[in-house]
Amino acid sequence: MEMYETLGKVGEGSYGTVMKCKHKDTGQIVAIKIFYEKPEKSVNKIAAREIKFLKQFHHENLVNLIEVFRQKRKIHLVFEFIDHTVLDELQHYCHGLESKRLRKYLFQILRAIEYLHNNNIIHRDIKPENILVSQSGITKLCDFGFARTLAAPGDVYTDYVATRWYRAPELVLKDTSYGKPVDIWALGCMIIEMATGNPYLPSSSDLDLLHKIVLKVGNLTPHLQSIFSKSPIFTGVVLPQVQHPKSPRKKYPKLNGLLADIVHACLQIDPAERISSTDLLHHEYFTRDGFIEKFIPELRAKILQEAKVNSFIKPKENFKENGFKKDERKIIYTDTLLSTSVWGKEMEKEKKPKDIKVRVIKVKGGKGAILEPKKTQCEGRHCQQDAAEIAHTRLVISEPPNPVNPSTNSLGIKDDPHAGGSMMMPPINLTSSNLMASNPSSNLSHSNSRTRWRRVCLMSEQVKVTKWQMETKGS
Ligand code: ADP
């Protein structure tokens, strides 16, 4: 940390704080996620999971991890700094994003999801605050603390606590055999929020969420209904049976026709009925008006432009002359700008996984480390930093001449060799308070301060108007 100057706080989650920092030597602006030092092991597990995924998966629409170190027992993840989040934009544009911008963002978000799903990864926490947006409009999915490999048939997942409002009905009902469709459900909720400015299923408890799902989306399938009826949590509770309009455009009248079709395809109660990310990318919403043909070169140009600015991306190394990404470190399936199926290229599904080449450099004190105790101001707090104390282990993601066993990461946290399969997530606490939590954000694992504020804002039109007016006046 002594190599970085702290510029301010950009995010606060349940598991850590994200600080905007500047590298003292290179001037590079980064975001450093500092995990809390909590007694529970869950923080380390979340961090280890995130590191493992970010080490393995690289895509233009996923956030880049630069290095990892532990200091004063706290795990630090250093990311490329990305300007803002979709949530920030929604706070500014209270009535939702303009349609052209929305389509460009959704296309990129879907590319990231398709890439993960093609690699059998589910993100499990898709929401506006986890979509970073660069100044030139490149979106990057972040927060892989809940990402995991798809379970093999018959395997079950451990329960986990992700943000409630975007949880699919099978997750709310703790159906242990969920999969990729949970990301598609979350995406459907997020699309409505991005288009209208309002979250679609804000809820204060699991029952509240289920009730809203039934009222606004559809009745439970017989399978989900049977889980619901048997659940001790919901004993004595009967959900209404609702007649929903069959036409997506009548069901979602606030959305433009094709967007309503997309949302309807995402928000299917039965996960098996939900559209896939690949099919979404082929949807008319994206294919009409030659959008893809026009947007791909634009996106490629922006990516190359940003790569020039961010020295660590090193465009000459990562991109061939034609703009194709030449990722020597690619894992199982790459979905870079011109290899994805959307623009007619055959998927490289048969490609066997390549070893992840990770160079681990152990640096006592780090290169150029100051060997005297040094004080750094962190958001008003003085953090005494003794550089001599720091066993600063750097993990550099680059092409290595001699790869080190990637199963042991630089933190000394052993990576799970079973691709996340045995990493247990904290169980959802099945208490009755879960049903009737009065605080809307009480069970949000990723409630940062901005999120909490916004939830309040969106609960009341009046507050929203006040906020909007204040912003307009101030600007
Ligand atoms: P947590 O897991 O603790 O919720 P996240 O990874 O979701 O942490 O990050 C929390 C917030 O920090 C994000 O919503 C975003 O505002 C900010 N943030 C995260 N990563 C970056 C980044 N690379 N660049 C800029 N801001 C970031």
Side-chain angles (χ1 to χ4, degrees):
M1 200 64 187
E2 79 283 3
M3 290 308 292
Y4 295 96
E5 178 191 341
T6 305
L7 302 177
K9 194 196 272 185
V10 284
E12 178 101 55
S14 308
Y15 299 98
T17 306
V18 180
M19 308 296 292
K20 181 176 182 178
C21 299
K22 185 175 167 184
H23 194 281
K24 286 179 184 165
D25 290 346
T26 64
Q28 186 185 352
I29 303 294
V30 296
I32 304 187
K33 185 163 167 176
I34 307 167
F35 282 85
Y36 299 129
E37 197 193 349
K38 282 191 178 173
E40 310 99 72
K41 284 187 178 160
S42 61
V43 174
N44 274 355
K45 282 182 182 170
I46 297 278
R49 187 181 289 261
E50 182 154 19
I51 295 164
K52 185 165 69 82
F53 279 93
L54 287 162
K55 271 161 60 181
Q56 284 185 42
F57 297 101
H58 302 274
H59 186 275
E60 295 98 339
N61 297 117
L62 297 185
V63 71
N64 265 309
L65 179 67
I66 301 168
E67 67 166 323
V68 176
F69 60 89
R70 190 198 283 270
Q71 185 183 307
K72 295 225 164 185
R73 300 179 60 204
K74 288 184 184 164
I75 299 168
H76 292 59
L77 268 56
V78 183
F79 294 98
E80 59 175 325
F81 181 82
I82 313 288
D83 195 62
H84 61 276
T85 68
V86 164
L87 182 69
D88 296 327
E89 291 201 22
L90 290 175
Q91 284 173 350
H92 196 78
Y93 302 106
C94 274
H95 299 291
L97 306 183
E98 182 266 324
S99 63
K100 281 186 185 156
R101 181 192 293 243
L102 178 64
R103 184 157 63 161
K104 288 180 180 180
Y105 285 6
L106 290 180
F107 182 72
Q108 296 176 74
I109 294 165
L110 265 167
R111 289 187 71 224
I113 296 176
E114 190 200 37
Y115 169 78
L116 292 178
H117 286 186
N118 281 336
N119 282 303
N120 277 331
I121 302 298
I122 35 179
H123 183 278
R124 304 201 298 183
D125 204 12
I126 307 273
K127 58 178 178 176
E129 47 269 61
N130 285 341
I131 311 293
L132 303 169
V133 187
S134 76
Q135 278 181 337
S136 66
I138 297 170
T139 71
K140 301 210 176 210
L141 186 55
C142 75
D143 197 356
F144 287 78
F146 288 130
R148 64 151 297 160
T149 310
L150 215 56
D155 287 358
V156 292
Y157 300 103
T158 318
D159 276 341
Y160 73 103
V161 188
T163 314
R164 177 183 290 117
W165 302 359
Y166 308 89
R167 272 188 221 159
E170 66 271 25
L171 280 179
V172 189
L173 288 164
K174 334 270 185 262
D175 186 349
T176 45
S177 62
Y178 62 86
K180 296 172 190 176
V182 300
D183 285 342
I184 301 295
W185 177 279
L187 177 73
C189 296
M190 192 173 73
I191 294 176
I192 300 181
E193 188 166 348
M194 287 170 75
T196 64
N198 294 319
Y200 193 53
L201 299 167
S203 36
S204 56
S205 68
D206 286 350
L207 182 58
D208 185 23
L209 176 58
L210 280 177
H211 191 249
K212 286 199 166 95
I213 288 174
V214 169
L215 287 184
K216 296 169 89 171
V217 184
N219 299 310
L220 295 186
T221 59
H223 172 64
L224 292 175
Q225 183 59 54
S226 123
I227 300 178
F228 179 81
S229 313
K230 286 179 199 151
S231 167
I233 304 167
F234 304 118
T235 307
V237 183
V238 179
L239 290 170
Q241 280 288 317
V242 180
Q243 277 285 99
H244 295 278
K246 285 225 164 61
S247 149
R249 298 171 193 216
K250 283 198 179 130
K251 196 168 176 183
Y252 304 105
K254 286 186 186 164
L255 304 181
N256 124 345
L258 285 168
L259 203 58
D261 293 345
I262 277 202
V263 164
H264 181 69
C266 293
L267 295 184
Q268 290 294 309
I269 301 288
D270 184 350
E273 298 283 311
R274 263 170 242 154
I275 190 166
S276 71
S277 49
T278 302
D279 287 347
L280 275 169
L281 280 166
H282 286 105
H283 195 280
E284 196 192 338
Y285 173 73
F286 293 112
T287 56
R288 89 197 138 108
D289 322 326
F291 166 76
I292 292 177
E293 291 76 10
K294 280 184 241 158
F295 186 51
I296 290 300
E298 181 187 325
L299 187 57
R300 190 189 306 135
K302 282 179 181 172
I303 288 167
L304 286 169
Q305 182 58 37
E306 289 201 356
K308 272 185 204 161
V309 176
N310 297 313
S311 55
F312 63 94
I313 294 177
K314 293 190 188 120
K316 278 185 188 158
E317 283 180 25
N318 280 341
F319 287 84
K320 288 179 181 171
E321 275 171 27
N322 58 10
F324 285 67
K325 192 174 173 188
K326 182 194 83 178
D327 194 346
E328 306 291 352
R329 295 158 283 124
K330 78 178 158 236
I331 322 303
I332 297 160
Y333 166 65
T334 57
D335 184 11
T336 53
L337 267 181
L338 291 167
S339 67
T340 179
S341 58
V342 180
W343 31 96
K345 295 275 174 186
E346 272 298 304
M347 288 183 182
E348 296 175 273
K349 274 181 180 161
E350 289 79 23
K351 284 199 172 172
K352 287 194 177 156
K354 285 189 178 175
D355 284 344
I356 310 140
K357 297 172 182 172
V358 179
R359 182 161 46 127
V360 179
I361 309 167
K362 286 214 168 190
V363 189
K364 266 267 176 190
K367 187 187 164 209
I370 305 149
L371 292 171
E372 285 161 25
K374 190 166 182 284
K375 277 185 181 171
T376 307
Q377 179 121 15
C378 309
E379 284 283 293
R381 279 172 296 151
H382 283 280
C383 315
Q384 184 77 28
Q385 294 186 334
D386 186 345
E389 230 180 70
I390 300 165
H392 183 147
T393 310
R394 298 186 100 191
L395 183 148
V396 179
I397 299 170
S398 61
E399 289 173 31
N402 183 15
V404 177
N405 178 10
S407 68
T408 306
N409 71 25
S410 59
L411 302 169
I413 300 168
K414 252 197 163 181
D415 272 353
D416 176 9
H418 302 109
S422 62
M423 283 183 153
M424 311 285 252
M425 300 305 297
I428 294 173
N429 205 354
L430 300 181
T431 58
S432 54
S433 62
N434 212 18
L435 290 174
M436 292 300 171
S438 56
N439 175 0
S441 62
S442 61
N443 226 1
L444 298 176
S445 66
H446 280 208
S447 54
N448 60 30
S449 52
R450 288 179 305 173
T451 316
R452 271 196 289 275
W453 179 86
R454 182 160 179 269
R455 299 320 183 204
V456 175
C457 155
L458 292 163
M459 291 298 175
S460 151
E461 269 310 305
Q462 226 176 343
V463 181
K464 188 162 79 182
V465 170
T466 312
K467 168 72 180 163
W468 179 244
Q469 283 170 344
M470 279 168 62
E471 280 180 355
T472 315
K473 266 189 194 171
S475 60

